[in-house]
Amino acid sequence: MAIEDAPPPLVPKDRPRRLVKLALRLVGPALLIVVLFRLRKEQDAINALLSADVWPLLVALVLNVANNWLKVLRWDVLLSARGHRYGRMRAWTSFLSSVYVGMLTPGRVGDVLRAQYLRHDLGMPYSEGIAVIVVDRLCDLYVLVGFVAVGVARFSSVVAGELAIVTWGGVLLTALGPLVLFVPGVAQRTMRAVYQKLPGDKSGEGFDRFLAALRGQKIRHLVHAVILTTIAFGINYVQGYLLARAMHLDLAFFDVVCLLAIASLLGLLPVSVSGVGVRELFFSLVFPVLGHSPGTGVVYGIGVFLIIYVAVVAMGFVSWHVAPPPVDGGEGAAR
């Protein structure tokens, strides 16, 4: 394994930084505890979740399979642009295993694990594997930003004043920030110095290979990936609508789309694991605008977490044991 393809080892000075990141990730759960404490008198909202209709919930749970399968297909499309073919079942199990790790750990550990699977199974350098995963993530990001822009406009009565300026500014920066990687010359000058400080690659060759792989995606593959991403998000929103129906909540599908889109963006903040706490707090602020109590918003947020996130973690737990992470860097037989 070339040294520039090796993942950077942990060094002692990184430990305080990791502890700080972990502490930040606990802000979300702390918010959830505060919100739940205020929920003690919202027995009606709690009963609505506990007595929810079973069939809509079951359909919403099953849709997790379709949603994640679409993401596996998207991964396959992006890999094919680099001339790689990954066996579908192996891609399915490795994807779910990485999602499982990603949802339970801070940072992007799950993405690094996916790169490890690609290194082991396809012989892809880490730099190229990470590049494919970055494009995969950018598809999620830009499709989500589109939905979020609509959602922020819909809930302008809540997201108003200085909060609106900050929110729209965040949406704009989120959309424009990653584009620097696609500007010839700019990324090399601004990021090579940072990359060379990482352990394992003083030459920056790995970064050059990363940029080449990142920019090597073809338009038709990107269009295909964006379509799959949009459908996957649509399935998430159908799940949210089914949950609302099961809880007998009078929520329009458009409102569910706006709610879950903004909640997904908030879930990207490094103050929570899978948006726990942040999502419920946001729903408690918005639900009164929709004619429901703040407590109902919190309970609905917990339902979203159980249906969409915990269910996927359970799938990933099974996959983790079916396809445990590879421990060597050799090229396997699965393609």
Side-chain angles (χ1 to χ4, degrees):
M1 183 188 300
I3 189 170
E4 65 268 18
D5 291 332
L10 294 176
V11 293
K13 66 179 180 180
D14 288 334
R15 290 173 185 169
R17 186 181 304 172
R18 294 178 65 207
L19 290 176
V20 171
K21 289 182 178 180
L22 179 59
L24 284 175
R25 301 283 281 190
L26 295 177
V27 172
L31 287 174
L32 180 60
I33 293 174
V34 173
V35 171
L36 289 177
F37 181 78
R38 298 173 57 186
L39 190 64
R40 292 176 298 170
K41 298 181 180 180
E42 295 285 350
Q43 191 60 45
D44 291 342
I46 297 174
N47 291 337
L49 180 60
L50 296 178
S51 61
D53 293 339
V54 174
W55 285 110
L57 294 181
L58 289 178
V59 174
L61 285 170
V62 171
L63 285 177
N64 283 310
V65 177
N67 180 277
N68 285 278
W69 185 247
L70 285 169
K71 294 178 181 179
V72 172
L73 293 180
R74 179 183 66 189
W75 194 20
D76 182 64
V77 168
L78 298 176
L79 284 171
S80 67
R82 302 296 305 160
H84 295 281
R85 301 295 300 178
Y86 205 6
R88 287 290 171 78
M89 288 310 299
R90 178 62 172 175
W92 173 251
T93 53
S94 60
F95 176 81
L96 286 178
S97 296
S98 64
V99 169
Y100 167 67
V101 173
M103 285 187 171
L104 297 180
T105 56
R108 290 299 179 186
V109 179
D111 291 339
V112 175
L113 179 59
R114 266 207 281 174
Q116 173 66 10
Y117 276 108
L118 293 176
R119 173 71 185 183
H120 177 270
D121 296 340
L122 302 180
M124 289 182 66
Y126 281 108
S127 51
E128 184 176 354
I130 290 295
V132 173
I133 293 167
V134 166
V135 176
D136 187 80
R137 285 294 187 178
L138 288 178
C139 289
D140 277 332
L141 182 62
Y142 284 115
V143 171
L144 175 60
V145 164
F147 284 116
V148 169
V150 175
V152 173
R154 166 64 180 88
F155 297 121
S156 58
S157 59
V158 176
V159 186
E162 293 182 356
L163 179 59
I165 296 175
V166 172
T167 303
W168 281 111
V171 171
L172 185 62
L173 290 176
T174 300
L176 297 180
L179 294 180
V180 68
L181 293 172
F182 297 91
V183 180
V186 175
Q188 287 89 335
R189 291 193 301 270
T190 59
M191 298 185 66
R192 182 181 281 112
V194 176
Y195 192 87
Q196 289 176 342
K197 292 181 180 179
L198 295 176
D201 185 13
K202 301 302 181 184
S203 67
E205 292 179 3
F207 181 64
D208 290 335
R209 184 160 48 245
F210 165 80
L211 284 179
L214 186 69
R215 297 167 179 171
Q217 292 290 331
K218 300 177 177 62
I219 294 298
R220 62 186 180 89
H221 292 94
L222 292 176
V223 171
H224 192 179
V226 168
I227 292 173
L228 291 172
T229 304
T230 304
I231 297 174
F233 272 107
I235 289 177
N236 274 152
Y237 302 146
V238 170
Q239 289 175 287
Y241 183 72
L242 288 171
L243 173 62
R245 295 296 92 191
M247 293 177 61
H248 307 288
L249 298 179
D250 184 21
L251 291 178
F253 180 71
F254 177 69
D255 287 334
V256 171
V257 171
C258 296
L259 283 169
L260 295 189
I262 298 176
S264 296
L265 184 64
L266 293 175
L268 298 178
L269 297 175
V271 296
S272 177
V273 177
S274 300
V276 172
V278 180
R279 172 180 49 251
E280 287 75 21
L281 179 61
F282 170 68
F283 286 172
S284 70
L285 296 175
V286 173
F287 262 59
V289 177
L290 302 174
H292 300 282
S293 69
T296 301
V298 174
V299 173
Y300 178 75
I302 294 173
V304 169
F305 176 68
L306 294 175
I307 293 295
I308 297 179
Y309 293 91
V310 174
V312 174
V313 168
M315 293 167 59
F317 175 79
V318 174
S319 181
W320 175 272
H321 291 83
V322 173
V327 294
D328 59 71
E331 181 177 353
R335 291 183 179 272

